Amino acid sequence: INTSISDNTGGWYIGGSFTQVGGQTRNRIAHILADGTIDSSFNPGANNNINTLALSNDGTTLYVGGDFTRIGGQNRNRVASLSVSNGSTTSFNPNVNSEVHTLILSSNNSVLYIGGFFNSVGGQSRNSIAAINTSDGLVTSFQPNADMAVYALALSSDDSVLYVGGYFSFLGGQGRHNIAAINTSTGVATSFNPETDATIYSMVLSSDDSLLYIGG
């Protein structure tokens, strides 16, 4: 299991490299209900690893990122969205050319930020970090460009600052070692520059935006 998120009703969505959960076939993604049983109506199946999940505010849509090229019986390259009611793949199709490791939704669910180790999204040049309109799956003008991999994202409560962790030395037009904060309007790095000596794999922002917890 690479990732798990609450379904907000006591259960969990999980993603990873597994092919079986609770004795039932579930290819790399599953929904575990609050009573610990497997949701029989949710079985999209992916053909390769799932690394990250995000659930829309209304609980109807699950966004998925990883190394897959097919999910829910549809061709989707590394990013997809699923209907939680039946696991079907929606028309959302950003088409990322290499692995996605992290994703996070804006507070109004209109933008999906993704990070990984890719250089193209929807045929547009985007290096390891991008923003995608959830309405049509097209990339926005947001283009910080990391020189290596992005593994973790956290978004401020007002959506103005995107915190980024990974393995890089340049991001948002500035030298930044493995951690940075990006202005979401401009794609430029802010003055926030703590630096780490090695890779960051996880981060979470406190509810008042005053503390950023990191692991790696």
Side-chain angles (χ1 to χ4, degrees):
I1 295 172
N2 294 331
T3 181
S4 63
I5 61 169
S6 171
D7 65 1
N8 296 327
T9 60
W12 299 88
Y13 293 99
I14 61 172
S17 58
F18 53 83
T19 56
Q20 192 173 93
V21 181
Q24 299 185 42
T25 298
R26 288 293 185 275
N27 289 314
R28 302 166 184 94
I29 186 168
H31 181 206
I32 302 172
L33 300 174
D35 63 1
T37 62
I38 308 304
D39 184 351
S40 60
S41 65
F42 185 87
N43 188 15
N47 70 341
N48 209 335
N49 293 356
I50 287 175
N51 299 322
T52 180
L53 300 169
L55 186 64
S56 62
N57 288 340
D58 61 7
T60 63
T61 305
L62 184 68
Y63 292 88
V64 183
D67 301 327
F68 56 85
T69 57
R70 191 168 176 83
I71 189 169
Q74 303 293 320
N75 293 330
R76 293 290 185 273
N77 291 319
R78 287 101 188 173
V79 173
S81 70
L82 308 172
S83 168
V84 301
S85 62
N86 58 17
S88 62
T89 305
T90 74
S91 60
F92 179 78
N93 189 14
N95 191 23
V96 184
N97 76 326
S98 194
E99 61 203 60
V100 171
H101 290 286
T102 181
L103 47 81
I104 193 168
L105 282 163
S106 62
S107 59
N108 64 2
N109 290 181
S110 65
V111 177
L112 181 73
Y113 294 95
I114 68 170
F117 198 38
F118 50 82
N119 57 36
S120 176
V121 181
Q124 302 295 312
S125 176
R126 294 293 185 274
N127 293 314
S128 299
I129 186 169
I132 301 166
N133 288 313
T134 56
S135 59
D136 55 18
L138 299 178
V139 289
T140 74
S141 59
F142 179 78
Q143 196 170 354
N145 284 327
D147 63 345
M148 288 293 284
V150 170
Y151 292 116
L153 297 172
L155 190 60
S156 64
S157 55
D158 64 0
D159 293 341
S160 66
V161 179
L162 183 69
Y163 294 91
V164 184
Y167 178 67
F168 50 80
S169 59
F170 190 86
L171 181 66
Q174 303 292 326
R176 294 290 184 269
H177 289 102
N178 308 317
I179 185 169
I182 304 296
N183 183 307
T184 55
S185 296
T186 64
V188 175
T190 74
S191 59
F192 177 83
N193 189 20
E195 298 194 352
T196 67
D197 63 351
T199 307
I200 292 173
Y201 290 108
S202 182
M203 56 171 51
V204 63
L205 195 61
S206 63
S207 58
D208 64 357
D209 292 353
S210 66
L211 291 171
L212 182 68
Y213 297 89
I214 65 173

